[in-house]
Amino acid sequence: MTTFDDKLVSVLGKKSADALESGLGLTTVGELLRHYPRRYDERGKLTEIKGLELGEHATVQARVKSVRHRRMKSRNGELLEAVITDGSSDLHLVFFGRGSRAVERELLPGREAMFAGKVGMFNGKLQLAHPDYQVLDAASDDAAAKFAGAFIPVYPAAQGIQSWHVSNCVEQVLAVWEGVDEDPLPERLRESQDLIGLEKAIRFVHRPESWAEITLAQQRLKWDEALAVQLALAQRRKSATARPAPACPPKPGMVRDAFDARLPFELTKGQQEVGGAIARDLSGEHPMNRLLQGEVGSGKAQPLDALVLTPEGFVPMGEIEEGAEVIAADGTTTTVTGVFPQGEREVYRVVLSDGKSVECDLDHLWQLHTGEVKTLRELRDDLYDLDGTPKWRLPMVVAPDVDCVELAPVKERHELLQGLLTTGGRCDGVDVVFRTESENLAEYVSELAESLGGTGSIAFGYELHEVTVRLPEEFPPFRDALDRTAPPVRRVEAVEFVGVKPVQCISIAHPSRLYVTDHFIVTHNTMVALRAMLQVVDAGRQAAMLAPTEVLAAQHARSLSELLGDLGQAGELGAAEHATRVTLLTGSMNTAQRKKALLEIMTGEAGIVVGTHALIQDKVEFHDLGLVVVDEQHRFGVEQRAALSGRASGSTPHVLVMTATPIPRTVAMTVYGDLEVSALRELPAGRSPISTSVVPVAQKPSWLDRAWQRIHEEVRKGHQVYVVCPRIGDGESEEDTPPKKDDSADRRPPLAVVDVAQKLSEGPLHGLRIDILHGRMPPDEKDAVMRAFASGEVQVLVATTVVEVGVNVPNATVMVIMDADRFGVSQLHQLRGRVGRGSAPGLCLLVTEMPDGTSTMERLRAVESTLDGFELAQLDLELRREGDILGAAQSGKRSGLKMLSLLRDEDVIAQARIVATEVVDADPDLVAHPGLAGLVAGLLDEERAEYLEKA
């Protein structure tokens, strides 16, 4: 009896078994039968060629278009060139040596065949070099007779073992396989989900007679995989709740309450809900494991042409830079702490009752006259009372003594306004109305009233213009017949769609977070990221934040310190009661700085510790670690997360992982399936307002010349440029790789920073100040280069992806990404966010040698066409073939899922998660469900099981 566990060598013989093991890693009957067809070709229906990926091992069914022999140019011998087609796209084949004559006799024009080989490129065209093939329409060919059925299963193959070889092996195994003794899925579950039995599903998937059989088989086999993953993750969640964690319930009157009391706004609904869930998790004795998707905090966006009030007058939002001075709502000067481009977004016009209007996006926060904070979306969706009157009223702002009305003292402005109203005004109920034939004078009166914190609503007429004026009660009444005042009213009367515009937001140092924009509207900006850490600190424990780069770690430490103020100055003169301390630890610190930081961490003086991978090192000892916050989770492996979690003595710390990268829901249920998932959906997730263009150098080499010319133009304007390469090139072995031969289909090594910088300085960018930056440089050299680039001393920075995160040079306007096809979608999206951060528009050029029509080029075109991070995340998931969701790397390895798609099978995954949770709650070790235990064991090899244990 042949079973799943039998070795293939006993069924197929040594030659075939060795080929399956060396090429595909398959050693047992079960592994081969779980090696499902990638797709099904119907006899006579040709495979689409344009979707082929460079470097993949492909199997295609195509028709021979042409064949010709020629002598090789660079060495002795001959080769055969053939072109095959699917009817719309062509693929080139090349065969070397004397054997090519036999190929020529078989691959006659018009003949159909299966071709298999590694997709390469030569002269800008995709080709297969010396592919294996199987002719389909040679009736006399015994091998071809195996393809006589309506469906041809196409299996994932490898060098040395082609799809048709795998199909032959499956045929032999199915002939002797006697099925399964007991279906691993309980009968009740199969009936509830309308699933066929496992044996029938396996036979259908390998030898279908109809598309209906294929569908039934795939539905069942997807359930096996989805349930195995969700059972493993449910067991992981169950075991996590069995380990003790430091209980950190909220403590009234401590640092968090003091911090909350200083907030001049209400947290958004999403922040309140997520914060409440986190607070409850931290209060328990079981470790919190939560993923927070979206930015923690909020920055609300306005168009780049919106005006922000500065000591020098109004300045367009797009020209505001970090460090600039702006005017806060109380009239004081404050500093801009951050500039956050939000890409192109839908912009709306807020029409006010005084005739003014302000443009912003729907996520823009508005402070109401009651002190309550709401988004424009909330205002728009509930704009009127039942009687149709405007529902929302905005506070009035007393503008400072700046040059916006060319008058400084408040008293003089009030006196001037009183004089104008006495001569040209009249009383109209509770309002004072000023009439004039001069449009300029009408605007001047309105501006005077607004500068005093009142309203000046203009009604422009054909000959006469009216300004309705109100002033706050603290001003003395107008003279004579105008002895009347009333509270100024500024209601939101309408919200009108304007169009799509590039927008950005800013954060400021003023504790109110309120700054003044055009028409004296108060804009609200919050950056709240530490209430969970403060709850842990209040409980007498420590919180650690892990950032992927030193730049980001330093930014976090600085922003947390600024937000806390004297609440974060423990041990210093003037510190608040119960204050804590924020300590930074990075790898580049000198010995004295490092010793001081380690001492503060070990003694517990540092309540909040911010750092990079340095926090994971053995020398770091925490006094009492209660919470680990991991920023940009996708940049850390599970090994690193586990290492930091293991720093707590005697208990397991709570873990909060955060990412601003959009995560498809199915990924959240699988890759992060051991975590509870929360999302702040009101928050902006856009990117920099830049344009992106693909530079296809194989088809249009002149475009690259134009790219270098564009860099010269930008530098002449005073701007700077990044050139990003995939490799360093300082002594790497790839540099010694000989140039490819004339007829080789192998790709050249990826371009290197060192080589590109030298060629640019000697060639198209000669005369510009060029420097290099990469991860292997000593920290002090990296800092020196970045300082020189930020100050404008370096005009062109040739770098690796070390600039991907945390680098902020607003003057950089262009990024050229060399060999862009060698980067992932999300990485390209992240890289281009380094430009377009100042007032000037940004440009990202994706340089590639890929030909049109390939899936690689389609990927680059997708990046070119959208700034939507969620859309690109979905695309990236699909193109990465979903990686190995249970492997430590979480990408790049062969997927543990062969049938289930994270992109398309959300319903199956969600339902399997529910079933798995119910099963594990009742039977944690699956003792009563041996079939399900077998499913989990079949999915998890030793490495994946270790991954789950460490997670």
Side-chain angles (χ1 to χ4, degrees), residues 344-364:
E344 290 190 343
R345 309 187 70 174
E346 292 185 346
V347 170
Y348 290 78
R349 179 181 297 109
V350 182
V351 181
L352 306 173
S353 58
D354 60 355
K356 307 295 184 183
S357 64
V358 178
E359 292 183 359
C360 60
D361 73 345
L362 285 176
D363 290 318
H364 188 105

